[in-house]
Amino acid sequence: MVFKNRTARSRFTAGAGSGVEASYIRLFEEARPRLLGIAYRILGSRAEAEDAVQDTFLRWQAANIESIESPGAWLTTACTRRAIDMLRASYRSRVDYVGTWLPEPVQTFIDSGTVAQMELSSSLSTAFLLMLERLTPRERAAYLLHEIFEMSYADVAASLDMNEPACRKLVSRAKSRIGDNQVRYQPSAERQEELLNAFEDAIRTGQPGSLTTMLASDVRLTADGGGKVATVTEILEGDMVLAFLTERLSEWWVAYDWSFTDLNGSRGLVLREGERIVATVSFAYDAADRIKDIFIVRNPAKLDGLGKIRIH
């Protein structure tokens, strides 16, 4: 655990030996994965989500915990409100962003054992997080808490400090603005591996090969360099995508070390130059199990923390 100041550290370190203080720490640590998952989906940034959770911990440390009837609800409310405030503050920086903004990639746990777990994983996809950008901060939070984390309208309303009828309208409006749920569709793990292998083969050989039939006709490629590294600044579509992969990336990426991993709820690709991560690649899919979007993150600021934590 990282502490932001000496006061927070000394209080909890000093109390760690007592059963009461230790139980407070345990309660927070048990809630941390859920809080991190909520904050990341609201913010689209691992680093900012960690800050939101840490700020929540500092509020928890300063609270009169004995008077809190439901620690889980209190922590969810505090973290959600902090993430909403941070999202509002970040909108200006996203407007001024150089090139196309993409969510910060994260490594994830993918548990295919239950439908609920697969649904939770699919809500981490880059395509879904981009869809959430259509919503206001409060719409985004309400939608996520109710639709993804399955909180009741009453609990969501309490977290957002609003009445329940207004909360229901907020979620309904968010659902209508998001529209098609196709963005959360995931092919089987085997099909995802097949698509990644075809993608790698096309770039390594400079020949389209089997990838040609695995791309949707309206496929798009979006890259995020943040103005810090060279990459395409416009979204490529259709035939331009395959030409870019085989003519440009084939020249630039062939010397990198390639590895497949779980990124944002599905199988993705990490490229390294030595120990340094230089790019991540993830896909969105259509109902025919073809690639309809290719997302490439090259911004070093978004890659530095990859692998430090996993998001549920």
Side-chain angles (χ1 to χ4, degrees), residues 24 27-28 56-63 65 68 71 74-75:
Y24 295 160
L27 283 170
F28 182 84
T56 303
F57 170 75
L58 294 177
R59 286 197 60 195
W60 174 251
Q61 180 241 352
I65 300 174
I68 297 174
W74 189 97
L75 289 167

Side-chain angles (χ1 to χ4, degrees), residues 33-311:
R34 176 181 172 85
L35 300 179
L36 195 57
I38 292 171
Y40 174 75
R41 287 171 175 83
I42 291 175
L43 292 162
S45 165
R46 174 202 55 81
E48 291 179 355
E50 287 188 290
D51 286 345
V53 172
Q54 184 63 26
D55 290 346
T56 303
F57 170 75
L58 294 177
R59 286 197 60 195
W60 174 251
Q61 180 241 352
N64 180 10
I65 300 174
E66 291 91 339
S67 67
I68 297 174
E69 294 183 4
S70 175
W74 189 97
L75 289 167
T76 296
T77 295
C79 188
T80 298
R81 291 180 181 180
R82 179 61 184 137
I84 289 173
D85 289 343
M86 293 174 67
L87 182 60
R88 287 170 174 154
S90 71
Y91 274 159
R92 176 57 187 273
S93 63
R94 293 186 188 181
V95 169
D96 297 334
Y97 199 79
V98 178
T100 304
W101 180 91
L102 290 175
E104 186 174 350
V106 292
Q107 289 192 286
T108 50
F109 288 109
I110 300 178
D111 182 358
S112 58
T114 66
V115 173
Q117 286 299 317
M118 290 300 290
E119 286 286 312
L120 193 60
S121 293
S122 70
S123 69
L124 288 167
S125 72
T126 299
F128 182 67
L129 294 176
L130 287 174
M131 191 75 77
L132 292 178
E133 290 292 303
R134 299 179 181 182
L135 307 180
T136 68
R138 279 166 67 87
E139 286 174 343
R140 187 164 179 161
Y143 176 87
L144 288 168
L145 292 178
H146 183 262
E147 295 293 316
I148 305 303
F149 289 93
E150 300 182 337
M151 289 175 57
S152 68
Y153 281 112
D155 288 341
V156 175
S159 290
L160 299 181
D161 193 24
M162 60 193 308
N163 61 53
E164 187 174 335
C167 179
R168 288 178 178 272
K169 290 181 180 179
L170 198 65
V171 173
S172 176
R173 186 163 64 244
K175 290 169 70 173
S176 66
R177 293 184 68 181
I178 288 178
D180 187 8
N181 206 33
Q182 173 64 36
V183 294
R184 293 177 61 189
Y185 174 75
Q186 301 281 5
S188 68
E190 292 76 17
R191 177 59 174 176
Q192 292 180 41
E193 290 279 343
E194 184 182 5
L195 294 168
L196 282 168
N197 282 315
F199 180 85
E200 180 178 2
D201 287 344
I203 292 177
R204 287 194 180 277
T205 65
Q207 300 298 320
S210 61
L211 185 63
T212 303
T213 60
M214 296 181 176
L215 299 178
S217 59
D218 57 349
V219 64
R220 301 185 304 174
L221 184 148
T222 307
D224 178 348
K228 300 175 182 179
V229 295
T231 191
V232 291
T233 56
E234 71 278 5
I235 297 175
L236 304 182
E237 299 185 39
D239 293 339
M240 296 176 63
V241 173
L242 194 57
F244 177 75
L245 297 177
T246 56
E247 297 172 14
R248 298 291 186 88
L249 290 192
S250 182
E251 177 183 353
W252 299 336
W253 284 11
V254 68
Y256 292 149
D257 294 323
W258 297 52
S259 61
F260 297 167
T261 189
D262 294 335
L263 286 177
N264 289 82
S266 63
R267 298 296 286 167
L269 175 64
V270 175
L271 290 92
R272 291 178 172 85
E273 187 174 43
E275 296 298 317
R276 183 172 62 93
I277 297 176
V278 295
T280 63
V281 180
S282 60
F283 300 145
Y285 312 93
D286 66 14
D289 288 356
R290 297 172 302 187
I291 300 171
K292 70 173 185 178
D293 273 291
I294 300 170
F295 302 108
I296 300 173
V297 176
R298 293 265 291 132
N299 185 343
K302 295 185 177 183
L303 300 175
D304 285 346
L306 186 66
K308 290 182 179 179
I309 61 170
R310 290 178 180 265
I311 305 290

